[in-house]
Amino acid sequence: MLVDNGGEIDLKDYVHPRVEPEICFRLRAPLAGEVSPEEALAAVDAVAPALEIIDSRYENFKFNLPDVVADNTSTSSYVVGDWYPADTDIADLAMEISFDGEEVQSGSTSAILGDPLRALIGAARLVGKDGGRLEAGWHVMAGGATAAEALTPGSASGSTPKI
């Protein structure tokens, strides 16, 4: 699923591909259950900007709440930018999607539950409820900072994701 930074994807391998900017956490230690922000951050090795390529099976990316739950497994690929220290302030960073040098979406990491770290805390809590845990070495995506933008043949990202 990991696409090399600067790599190309073949859109023929997808149904309705879209991309959204996110923050990716790389874990250095397992994480599960009710954890504080400090405990969650201590389990993080590094953070990076990322692009999640989602491939919805729903026409025009329109669906209701039960469909959202079913479609949350639609991640098909992701691209990770440069890694930064875990204590990098990611709470309110500007993020954008550009195709062929033209901005098509812009937003902030604050759109991810107010702070992307909250998404990691939530993921630890949810996986812990079923007796599981997030494992060391895993990449955990925090969620989209903007709306997902459709990918079309021939379009190219204007830049490498950066923090």
Side-chain angles (χ1 to χ4, degrees):
M1 290 179 45
L2 179 62
V3 175
D4 289 334
N5 196 352
E8 293 185 13
I9 60 170
D10 186 348
L11 293 184
K12 290 183 272 181
D13 295 335
Y14 300 83
V15 179
H16 298 290
R18 292 180 177 262
V19 63
E20 58 189 21
E22 302 202 12
I23 292 292
C24 182
F25 296 96
R26 185 175 64 203
L27 298 181
R28 77 168 101 223
L31 192 62
E34 297 293 331
V35 297
S36 69
E38 295 77 20
E39 291 168 321
L41 194 55
V44 174
D45 174 51
V47 297
L51 298 171
E52 180 184 22
I53 302 164
I54 50 181
D55 192 21
S56 177
R57 64 187 180 276
Y58 293 95
E59 187 77 30
N60 298 320
F61 212 68
K62 302 276 187 215
F63 38 85
N64 59 29
L65 183 58
D67 292 336
V68 168
V69 173
D71 203 48
N72 275 342
T73 61
S74 64
T75 297
S76 58
S77 307
Y78 66 104
V79 179
V80 178
D82 295 334
W83 291 103
Y84 293 84
D87 62 355
T88 300
D89 185 0
I90 58 170
D92 188 19
L93 298 172
M95 296 191 94
E96 71 175 48
I97 302 172
S98 297
F99 294 148
D100 301 320
E102 181 180 330
E103 182 182 301
V104 294
Q105 291 284 340
S106 65
S108 168
T109 57
S110 66
I112 306 168
L113 300 177
D115 181 338
L117 187 60
R118 289 183 182 155
L120 180 62
I121 293 166
R125 184 184 69 248
L126 289 173
V127 74
K129 282 185 179 181
D130 289 329
R133 66 184 191 175
L134 304 173
E135 296 293 344
W138 283 10
H139 292 173
V140 179
M141 305 291 277
T146 72
E149 187 68 29
L151 292 172
T152 57
S155 63
S157 172
S159 63
T160 301
K162 295 180 181 164
I163 287 183

